[in-house]
Every structure is written in C-alpha cells, then in structure tokens.
Amino acid sequence: MASVSTKQENLEKLVEELLRAQPNEQMVKKLSLKLGISYSADPLILMNTVLQSMNNVYLTEQRRKNLESQVP
C-alpha cells in the first residue's frame, strides 16, 4: 500500500490536473487508477470523489498525529 504522503502527493497532482482548462485525460485516468478511485468522464463527479478521498487521507493523518502526541 502506498504511504500516506505518496497518496497525498498523487491526490494533489490529480486535483491540479482536474483544475486545468484542458486536463490530460490519460494522466487523470492513470492517477485515478493508481489511487484506486473510480474514473468518471464527468469532471464534477470525479472531482467530488477525489476531494472526498483527500479528506479521508488528511483526517486519517491528523488522527494519527493526535494519537502519537498523546503517548507519554
């Protein structure tokens, strides 16, 4: 499984690509596949899915940091 930072980086690349005026569809498909995100030809559906995935990754990372900071 990809590390959290690698997944974050790939998610950020995917968002950047989706925000372009003319996204590279091959790059979008490649990153979606790599991240295990269902590809959709509808950019709004895909962006929503990507942002939900980002939210999950960031929340998981934040929870891990909170737990580590509580350890004496």
Side-chain angles (χ1 to χ4, degrees):
M1 182 173 182
S3 71
V4 172
S5 63
T6 302
K7 189 167 187 173
Q8 287 175 348
E9 291 168 7
N10 287 329
L11 284 165
E12 290 168 5
K13 287 179 192 175
L14 183 52
V15 169
E16 286 176 19
E17 193 62 40
L18 289 170
L19 291 175
R20 293 178 186 254
Q22 294 292 321
N24 178 333
E25 195 156 339
Q26 291 303 317
M27 175 69 79
V28 171
K29 286 180 180 180
K30 177 183 169 187
L31 287 168
S32 296
L33 179 64
K34 189 174 191 177
L35 291 162
I37 294 173
S38 299
Y39 175 78
S40 172
D42 183 333
L44 293 176
I45 291 173
L46 186 56
M47 181 62 85
N48 183 47
T49 304
V50 170
L51 293 176
Q52 286 176 346
S53 183
M54 284 183 87
N55 188 45
N56 290 337
V57 169
Y58 285 105
L59 286 177
T60 301
E61 180 68 12
Q62 188 60 42
R63 281 189 210 115
R64 185 188 60 77
K65 286 180 182 177
N66 287 343
L67 288 173
E68 287 176 352
S69 68
Q70 294 175 3
V71 175

